[in-house]
Amino acid sequence: MLPSELDSTYRLLKRSFPNGIDEGDLVSLFALLYQEGEMSIRTITQVAAEWQNRPAVDFLPLVDRAMSVDLASDTTASRLREILNQSGYQEWLSEE
């Protein structure tokens, strides 16, 4: 069960990707959450575990890689940001 402060992140991801997300897109998604959303490694892995119904430890290598993604040149991140924006990403960012 997620802490209540992570509920809005979980709901954002469920709205944005109702049919799931390609495994290859997770690093870029985590980069957005880490760099723009200022989420910690721990909170990203907690939300990802709940959202993907997998152990949090599965996501640690992906979050680690996300920390060094250059969002300005990452076309996948740009595409995912557009999807997130349609589901309330900007409002979510202002919550933090």
Side-chain angles (χ1 to χ4, degrees), residues 10 15 35 40 43 52 68 75 84:
Y10 175 80
R15 279 192 313 271
Q35 295 177 36
S40 70
T43 56
Q52 297 287 300
S68 62
T75 57
L84 290 164

Side-chain angles (χ1 to χ4, degrees), residues 42-88:
R42 181 183 59 81
T43 56
I44 292 170
T45 57
Q46 280 182 290
V47 171
E50 185 75 20
W51 176 47
Q52 297 287 300
N53 196 30
R54 291 172 42 196
V57 70
D58 287 358
F59 300 101
L60 287 173
L62 301 175
V63 175
D64 186 53
R65 287 182 26 217
M67 295 170 62
S68 62
V69 168
D70 177 12
L71 290 177
S73 64
D74 187 337
T75 57
T76 301
S78 296
R79 179 177 52 79
L80 295 175
R81 187 184 296 111
E82 287 304 313
I83 294 168
L84 290 164
N85 280 334
Q86 295 172 17
S87 298

Side-chain angles (χ1 to χ4, degrees), residues 16-55:
S16 299
F17 307 101
N19 299 315
I21 188 170
D22 289 336
E23 186 82 14
D25 290 348
L26 286 174
V27 170
S28 294
L29 176 64
F30 295 162
L32 289 167
L33 297 176
Y34 179 77
Q35 295 177 36
E36 293 183 352
E38 299 180 359
M39 292 182 70
S40 70
I41 293 168
R42 181 183 59 81
T43 56
I44 292 170
T45 57
Q46 280 182 290
V47 171
E50 185 75 20
W51 176 47
Q52 297 287 300
N53 196 30
R54 291 172 42 196

